[in-house]
Amino acid sequence: MTTAVDDDMWSAVGDPTRRRMLDLLLTDGGGTATSLSGQLPVTRQAIAKHLGVLDRVGLVHATPAGRERRYRVDEAQLARAVAQLSSVGAAWDARLRRIKRIAETIQRSKDDPDDVKIDNWN
């Protein structure tokens, strides 16, 4: 089964600060922009913008907590992201195995030109 890749989600997760934020939210069970800014080398305003990106792609959800918003990771969306990553990884593994077979066939043809089967590279 192939899993469709959500480019917006992977663009959001592609940022190292946002990945670290997800790690912290998972470890702590949630957090606010203020609590995260105390653990990361960026301003609270930058944290809030990053949280907005993660919220738009559904990786986190916010609930009001006094004057702030408390963010939690959406575990179903995170599981979807993991499934996408696994699917992409499996596809690349298959491509790399095919490249390896082709390279080995080419090497064998250099070593023994009479003993090469090129018709079955798939």
Side-chain angles (χ1 to χ4, degrees):
M1 176 172 101
T2 331
T3 305
V5 174
D6 183 338
D7 290 331
D8 289 337
M9 180 170 45
W10 286 107
S11 178
V13 177
D15 183 274
T17 300
R18 289 192 281 264
R19 286 194 307 273
R20 180 70 181 126
M21 290 170 59
L22 287 170
D23 287 341
L24 291 169
L25 291 171
L26 284 167
T27 300
D28 298 343
T32 64
T34 302
S35 68
L36 290 169
S37 68
Q39 301 177 68
L40 295 166
V42 292
T43 65
R44 185 198 175 288
Q45 291 78 11
I47 295 290
K49 287 182 181 184
H50 284 299
L51 286 168
V53 171
L54 292 171
D55 191 31
R56 277 192 299 281
V57 298
L59 284 168
V60 299
H61 294 292
T63 54
R67 293 179 20 191
E68 290 198 278
R69 297 168 55 101
R70 182 163 184 79
Y71 291 86
R72 296 183 65 94
V73 174
D74 182 313
E75 292 183 21
Q77 185 73 337
L78 184 60
R80 186 172 154 254
V82 169
Q84 288 179 19
L85 184 59
S86 295
S87 176
V88 169
W92 273 102
D93 286 345
R95 288 178 185 120
L96 291 171
R97 282 191 301 274
R98 184 165 184 255
I99 290 168
K100 181 181 178 194
R101 284 193 305 269
I102 292 168
E104 288 169 345
T105 300
I106 291 169
Q107 185 60 46
R108 279 194 309 273
S109 73
K110 289 179 180 178
D111 294 343
D112 186 2
D114 296 328
D115 187 35
V116 178
K117 287 176 116 180
I118 299 180
D119 60 313
N120 192 14
W121 281 358
N122 294 324

